[in-house]
Amino acid sequence: MRRAFLSVLLLVSVFLLVPASPATAAPYCGLVWGSLEKTAPGLSAAPVVNVRTGRHSCYDRLVIDVAGDVGGYTVAYVPVVVQDGSGLPIPTRGGAALQITVNDPSYDASYQATYSPANPLELRNVTGYRTFRQVVYAGSFEGYTSLGLGVRARLPFRVFTLDGPGTSSRLVVDVAHRW
């Protein structure tokens, strides 16, 4: 009995004497992205040929397929997505909107469309996505192609390019599910 009492007393005293480590909040899923504009210079005549989306455990992903090298890009939160050329607003669902401009046309050298969505206001069905609310086509004008991405809120995002498959490349936009 005395031994059990001493063991408990020793255990309690260790907890009282050992200082607690300071609480530090780890980034969500290890993500350290921000929500400010992201850009890369360059211009390419390689055409946009497809737009895809995907769901991941910590973020939702938008992929723009280009038949060649991605020329460059600008991705930023905007008050409203605007149509290329005309500047007309394109409303998007969600609490925030990203305007995504890839420095590549969505037409070939003969001005034939290489990407012409059936419904420009619903490029992909994003029902059930944690962050994405709507993907819209904002047009292609003077060698630039723009999309709008309606998201749940202004959340951190990252942008990068990937080579392949073959001579193609991809512009990738990931938007975190939360901060």
Side-chain angles (χ1 to χ4, degrees):
M1 175 86 166
R2 182 176 163 98
R3 184 177 270 179
F5 175 74
L6 289 174
S7 295
V8 169
L9 185 61
L10 179 62
L11 185 60
V12 169
S13 63
V14 166
F15 282 117
L16 293 175
L17 294 176
V18 174
S21 63
T24 57
Y28 171 67
C29 289
L31 307 179
V32 292
W33 314 333
S35 64
L36 298 179
E37 178 179 89
K38 289 149 179 78
T39 64
L43 187 62
S44 167
V48 171
V49 294
N50 195 23
V51 175
R52 303 175 283 128
T53 59
R55 293 185 281 186
H56 297 266
S57 59
C58 298
Y59 54 87
D60 290 344
R61 173 170 283 181
L62 175 88
V63 178
I64 301 170
D65 294 317
V66 177
D69 292 332
V70 172
Y73 57 82
T74 300
V75 181
Y77 280 103
V78 294
V80 64
V81 173
V82 295
Q83 189 176 53
D84 277 353
S86 71
L88 293 173
I90 303 172
T92 56
R93 292 187 296 277
L98 281 167
Q99 179 103 25
I100 301 162
T101 301
V102 60
N103 302 355
D104 298 272
S106 59
Y107 47 82
D108 62 20
S110 302
Y111 297 99
Q112 298 299 309
T114 57
Y115 180 69
S116 182
N119 183 353
L121 297 179
E122 298 290 340
L123 296 187
R124 293 289 173 245
N125 181 357
V126 291
T127 303
Y129 281 58
R130 288 185 56 193
T131 299
F132 291 177
R133 296 296 180 258
Q134 185 178 13
V135 184
V136 301
Y137 181 67
S140 189
F141 185 71
E142 295 185 345
Y144 297 86
T145 300
S146 291
L147 305 173
L149 182 59
V151 295
R152 183 174 48 80
R154 185 179 176 128
L155 294 162
F157 69 96
R158 70 176 172 178
V159 183
F160 59 96
T161 61
L162 293 171
D163 291 332
T167 59
S168 297
S169 63
R170 296 158 280 164
L171 178 69
V172 179
V173 179
D174 292 335
V175 183
H177 291 158
R178 65 180 179 86
W179 279 96

